[in-house]
Amino acid sequence: MTHKAAAGAWLARVRRAAGLTQTDTAWRAGITVRAYQAIEAGRHPTPKTLQAIATALGLDLACRRHLDRLIHPPRTAPAPPPTEHLRQLLAHINAPAWVVDPAWTVLAASRSAPVMPANLALWAIDAAAKFDDWHRVSADLVARTRSTLSWYETPGEPVPAVIAAVRAASHAAELAWSAGHVADVPHREVLAFEGRPLTLHWATLGNDPSARLVVVTGADPRHASGGTRSPATQTAAPCPPSPATAP
């Protein structure tokens, strides 16, 4: 599938999740139904038309960035920094931390990181029963992994394979995928693992998600109940809004 076709397919998912027909969306965007149908089929829209469609569908900033990247991928393929550079970075972090690629494959780990499988997403699937809020964790995992697909002309097979594995392991993740959810900003959130609240910190190293930093620390006592997102995290919620991943 070309990126333009992928953009059209994603728009169709978002539109259906919003309960809109092609006619509804075209009317809201101020274009003809035939023009909108052509865009969902893979035609390249003008920037003005793309903006109008994004507004018609109520897309937030993360979704708008994702749509722009689907049509104009910023990178050819993932290009993580040299492993030695990542190890030097992690040497200064006194907490369990990992650097992962777009498919969540571990590129480097801190000295405090426990021994884990080579892929954090696949490990999370295996440990699903230990998360108190697996449905939210898995839906967010799909939304964040999907956002990496739009960065590259050729993201590689591991990314779609990981998405498929998470979708197969969680109904909430499948719903999030079907609704077109995307999340792409650095954030922190508190979740409960084996009944213990932990804080996950996520950040992208560099200008694209070729390398992402994941750090685990103790929970802020103010959010010790687990499953709480900080104000900075609110912008990381999947888009568009949907009851699909609600508790």
Side-chain angles (χ1 to χ4, degrees):
M1 180 183 291
T2 66
H3 271 265
K4 292 174 185 176
W10 181 73
L11 282 173
R13 287 182 181 277
V14 173
R15 172 182 58 76
R16 288 192 293 266
L20 298 174
T21 65
Q22 291 180 327
T23 300
D24 295 332
T25 307
W27 182 82
R28 290 185 177 194
I31 61 177
T32 66
V33 176
R34 181 173 294 182
Y36 181 75
Q37 289 172 337
I39 292 168
E40 281 198 0
R43 195 184 76 180
H44 191 163
T46 65
K48 181 179 179 180
T49 297
L50 198 64
Q51 182 72 14
I53 291 172
T55 300
L57 292 174
L59 301 187
D60 67 8
L61 289 177
C63 277
R64 289 172 187 254
R65 289 191 294 265
H66 182 68
L67 180 57
D68 287 340
R69 292 194 302 262
L70 279 173
I71 295 174
H72 302 292
R75 304 282 189 271
T76 301
T83 301
E84 184 55 35
H85 292 181
L86 299 178
R87 288 173 178 163
Q88 291 174 7
L89 168 68
L90 292 172
H92 301 285
I93 299 178
N94 296 317
W98 302 264
V99 176
V100 297
D101 71 3
W104 302 95
T105 299
V106 174
L107 303 174
S110 69
R111 292 190 181 92
S112 301
V115 176
M116 294 175 62
N119 186 289
L120 289 190
L122 300 183
W123 170 84
I125 292 172
D126 290 339
K130 298 181 180 181
F131 288 96
D132 289 9
D133 201 8
W134 169 243
H135 73 278
R136 182 174 60 83
V137 171
S138 60
D140 190 69
L141 186 58
V142 159
R144 293 189 177 282
T145 310
R146 169 187 247 133
S147 74
T148 68
L149 286 171
S150 59
W151 275 93
Y152 311 105
E153 293 178 9
T154 53
E157 282 301 313
V159 179
V162 163
I163 290 174
V166 179
R167 290 170 59 193
S170 166
H171 181 59
E174 177 61 31
L175 291 175
W177 175 262
S178 298
H181 289 182
V182 174
D184 69 351
V185 298
H187 78 296
R188 63 185 180 277
E189 66 177 292
V190 177
L191 53 83
F193 183 78
E194 295 186 320
R196 181 166 58 114
L198 298 172
T199 302
L200 291 183
H201 307 260
W202 312 80
T204 297
L205 302 178
N207 297 321
D208 72 284
S210 288
R212 294 174 293 166
L213 178 65
V214 181
V215 181
V216 178
T217 62
D220 185 324
R222 293 172 298 176
H223 304 301
S225 60
T228 303
R229 297 186 175 210
S230 70
T233 308
Q234 298 302 318
T235 55
C239 66
S242 166
T245 59

